[in-house]
Amino acid sequence: MKRILFMPFLQMSSGHHQVVNGIIDSLQEINDLFECEKIDILSYSYGNVERFISKFYLKWIYLFPNFYSWLYKKSAYKNEYEAKRFYFYEWLFLYWMEKLIKEKNPQLIICTHALPSYLLNHLKQKGSISVPVINVYTDYFINQIWGMECIDYHFVPTKEIKEVLIERGVKSDHILVTGIPIHPRYKEQDKVLHQKDKFSILISGGNLGIGLIKTFVETLQPSGKINYTVLCGENNKLYNWIKQLNNPFINAVPYISSKEEMNNLYDRVDAIITKPGGVTISECLFKRIPIFIYHELPGQEEINLQNLKKWGLVYHLECWRDTPNFEEKILKVLHCDKLQKLLNQQLNTYHQHLSKEKVSLFIEKLLAENNIGK
């Protein structure tokens, strides 16, 4: 058996966990020789404290978004090329991380969050551990917390992020442009937006119950030219509220657990309106679905949006709260051949730079080349 330890952070539903789940399922499609385990270092170290931290984190973003945004950028992104020590994290977690590695004795560690990557990088620098580590980045930028010098491989979302890592001293052949890894059940499609009288648009971003999705739907003035499907996830309050609207052009969909069903839903829509969360954006880029951004959470999503706009991969619905009938702006974009051609060019460039080697096959080859698990 080949033991792989996956390390996201916190246990709440997030892109870090979605990426882990997708990679695990991809590996298990190859063969059953992979023994995969997912562990959150906070839960491992301090037990039920993790639940409190998760709730506090969500409340903090909801109640004090500007403060969270300022603190995140100051502590983790202000000088993105500068190596930085986080002594508090080391004091809290280094002992537990070393204990975990000795206990589990993994043959490969895959980090989808910066904190475990930072801790493992530090332990490798000290010579306390030698196990190979892969960073899998789940945003469209790299913050200062990620471990770098002693990390063996890096799975990055775009060629631009690869260039950032090279500037920070990482060898080019240790970087794989994978996109943010998505579940293997999602299948490629040649999404060509045809001009039509009525479009179908997906609205996403309400799973955790934070953000402005309810306000956005309240502001909609459907003309009948667009049918909206709102993905509510586990947000039952949002689902029930939309159902009570009884609007023929706004349909609510509860949590979808089946990736095949979600893939089929993506195939049926002409565009998506969402937040700039890493995994959702990666899925839509893979499916070549035009992306409209209506809102971004403070911190990570703000920086994601900034970069995605710079690379020409999304449309930003700015000032929608102050614009009567902003649906017309959406329709203008969908009807504009010039804008659609430009988007297709940017998507082609994005896809051209993605590695042709699947993440799961690369991991299998890495373990085989190092005679790991034999």
Side-chain angles (χ1 to χ4, degrees):
M1 295 297 288
K2 303 176 181 181
R3 295 185 304 279
I4 304 177
L5 179 61
F6 290 84
M7 302 205 71
F9 187 63
L10 303 178
Q11 294 194 47
M12 64 182 183
S13 176
S14 68
H16 316 300
H17 286 273
Q18 292 180 53
V19 168
V20 168
N21 295 340
I23 295 176
I24 290 175
D25 287 350
S26 297
L27 289 170
Q28 291 176 344
E29 283 188 355
I30 297 175
N31 58 50
D32 58 359
L33 297 179
F34 297 101
E35 183 181 310
C36 300
E37 188 171 3
K38 178 170 63 171
I39 295 181
D40 159 42
I41 190 62
L42 179 57
S43 301
Y44 177 83
S45 307
Y46 299 102
N48 290 333
V49 169
E50 185 274 336
R51 294 182 184 178
F52 170 78
I53 297 295
S54 294
K55 290 179 181 178
F56 175 79
Y57 172 75
L58 295 176
K59 280 287 185 183
W60 184 12
I61 292 176
Y62 179 74
L63 295 174
F64 305 104
N66 293 334
F67 177 60
Y68 177 84
S69 174
W70 173 82
L71 186 62
Y72 180 85
K73 292 174 182 176
K74 182 176 178 61
S75 63
Y77 191 67
K78 185 177 181 181
N79 300 302
E80 58 179 313
Y81 292 96
E82 178 184 305
K84 192 173 180 179
R85 290 286 295 273
F86 295 87
Y87 294 100
F88 182 63
Y89 293 153
E90 293 175 25
W91 177 72
L92 279 177
F93 295 113
L94 272 180
Y95 164 80
W96 295 104
M97 181 63 83
E98 191 167 1
K99 179 177 182 293
L100 171 65
I101 302 309
K102 289 178 180 177
E103 176 186 321
K104 298 297 181 180
N105 191 27
Q107 291 144 334
L108 176 66
I109 304 175
I110 298 178
C111 299
T112 60
H113 189 278
L115 178 57
S117 168
Y118 172 82
L119 299 169
L120 291 164
N121 186 71
H122 190 72
L123 289 175
K124 287 178 69 110
Q125 282 178 320
K126 292 198 312 175
S128 300
I129 63 171
S130 58
V131 58
V133 178
I134 298 175
N135 281 353
V136 180
Y137 302 95
T138 56
D139 281 302
Y140 290 93
F141 68 98
I142 298 175
N143 67 36
Q144 288 176 277
I145 303 174
W146 284 97
M148 202 67 59
E149 297 87 352
C150 294
I151 301 301
D152 297 271
Y153 287 95
H154 304 257
F155 295 173
V156 299
T158 66
K159 66 179 180 64
E160 290 84 0
I161 301 302
K162 178 176 181 176
E163 291 164 4
V164 169
L165 286 183
I166 291 172
E167 288 181 36
R168 291 176 63 168
V170 179
K171 295 179 180 178
S172 177
D173 59 353
H174 285 231
I175 306 170
L176 205 65
V177 183
T178 58
I180 296 174
I182 62 175
H183 199 277
R185 295 292 185 272
Y186 293 113
K187 305 302 179 185
E188 285 188 271
Q189 63 171 346
D190 294 324
K191 175 69 76 171
V192 178
L193 190 66
H194 300 289
Q195 297 304 324
K196 54 176 74 172
D197 295 328
K198 181 176 287 189
F199 292 96
S200 177
I201 291 184
L202 199 59
I203 301 178
S204 176
N207 184 47
L208 293 176
I210 54 178
L212 296 177
I213 190 167
K214 183 173 182 289
T215 305
F216 182 82
V217 175
E218 283 179 320
T219 310
L220 280 175
Q221 299 177 26
S223 64
K225 296 177 182 178
I226 298 176
N227 283 326
Y228 299 95
T229 299
V230 184
L231 281 176
C232 300
E234 296 176 355
N235 189 343
N236 293 325
K237 288 184 179 179
L238 176 66
Y239 176 79
N240 292 328
W241 175 76
I242 292 174
K243 296 296 285 185
Q244 290 172 3
L245 290 178
N246 200 28
N247 189 306
F249 305 115
I250 305 177
N251 179 45
V253 175
Y255 177 69
I256 298 176
S257 59
S258 166
K259 299 302 180 184
E260 290 88 349
E261 185 179 346
M262 193 64 216
N263 180 71
N264 292 335
L265 180 57
Y266 276 145
D267 285 343
R268 295 196 300 269
V269 301
D270 300 298
I272 187 171
I273 300 172
T274 187
K275 301 190 296 85
V279 175
T280 298
I281 295 295
S282 187
E283 290 169 354
C284 293
L285 291 176
F286 177 75
K287 301 289 291 184
R288 295 178 175 268
I289 300 171
I291 303 166
F292 293 87
I293 303 298
Y294 75 96
H295 173 58
E296 67 280 2
L297 293 178
Q300 297 94 316
E301 288 190 359
E302 290 178 305
I303 305 169
N304 281 345
L305 176 58
Q306 176 184 324
N307 284 335
L308 290 165
K309 287 173 64 177
K310 180 172 65 177
W311 302 331
L313 294 172
V314 301
Y315 304 109
H316 191 193
L317 289 176
E318 298 181 86
C319 304
W320 54 265
R321 280 172 287 189
D322 304 317
T323 306
N325 198 20
F326 61 84
E327 184 184 271
E328 289 302 319
K329 289 192 172 184
I330 298 172
L331 288 168
K332 283 183 180 179
V333 171
L334 296 179
H335 282 300
C336 181
D337 291 335
K338 182 178 179 181
L339 288 176
Q340 294 307 312
K341 183 178 180 181
L342 181 60
L343 174 62
N344 284 330
Q345 289 173 348
Q346 297 300 106
L347 285 172
N348 287 337
T349 299
Y350 166 81
H351 280 268
Q352 284 167 6
H353 287 93
L354 292 180
S355 170
K356 301 300 183 289
E357 187 170 19
K358 291 184 178 180
V359 166
S360 54
L361 294 176
F362 179 87
I363 293 170
E364 182 185 44
K365 185 175 73 173
L366 174 64
L367 292 171
E369 287 176 350
N370 289 277
N371 293 315
I372 295 172
K374 292 185 177 181

